[in-house]
Amino acid sequence: MAANQPDGKEMSMIIEGQPRSVMLGEFGQPVSTVKRADGSVEYDVFSFVDGYSGGAKAGRALFHGVADVFTCGLWEVVGTPVESVADGNKMSYKILYNEHEEVQTIIPLSKDAQKYEKKRNNGLAGISNTSQSSIQKTAESKYRSPK
């Protein structure tokens, strides 16, 4: 089961300014797309499983194989449920594009995506980098001590 887990996605590709074509290449076809009146894409909703690298899958499969041998197959009682639960993170994102179909805003929709974005954005989950920097600048100016 460990060797057949889904492959990992390159999550660092979800950044502002990224062309839509790159998003499609890494994450596949979106589950829904909304277009503007001029025919350009306003936003996509992507849903995918962020799995594991080939090395991680091979290591887990090797571990389970060795554990099966040393426990005369009893490891299957523990290993099978573990692998059925550890099947990757279900990620869903709403990606809004500018008029040039470049990523403008990133909205994590699933819990796993929100957790990932919170970790990636230092605790500001669900907020794209542009919005995050605006919030930080506002906070810095609002709480700056008077001179």
Side-chain angles (χ1 to χ4, degrees), residues 20-21 24 30 32-46 95-104:
R20 180 174 185 260
S21 59
L24 295 173
S32 69
T33 298
V34 172
K35 294 188 176 194
R36 296 182 182 91
D38 67 0
S40 65
V41 175
E42 182 176 353
Y43 69 85
D44 286 324
V45 175
F46 290 95
I95 306 293
L96 288 83
Y97 303 100
N98 63 19
E99 63 278 355
H100 304 293
E101 293 192 0
E102 298 169 333
V103 174
Q104 181 176 351

Side-chain angles (χ1 to χ4, degrees), residues 61-118:
L62 180 65
F63 170 78
H64 288 296
V66 170
D68 276 346
V69 170
F70 281 110
T71 63
C72 299
L74 291 175
W75 177 250
E76 289 296 319
V77 175
V78 175
T80 300
V82 166
E83 284 304 319
S84 65
V85 171
D87 59 353
N89 296 317
K90 280 95 175 144
M91 307 295 250
S92 294
Y93 283 90
K94 182 176 183 178
I95 306 293
L96 288 83
Y97 303 100
N98 63 19
E99 63 278 355
H100 304 293
E101 293 192 0
E102 298 169 333
V103 174
Q104 181 176 351
T105 306
I106 303 159
I107 303 171
L109 301 175
S110 66
K111 287 183 181 181
D112 287 338
Q114 290 169 0
K115 286 179 192 174
Y116 174 80
E117 291 299 320
K118 186 173 184 177

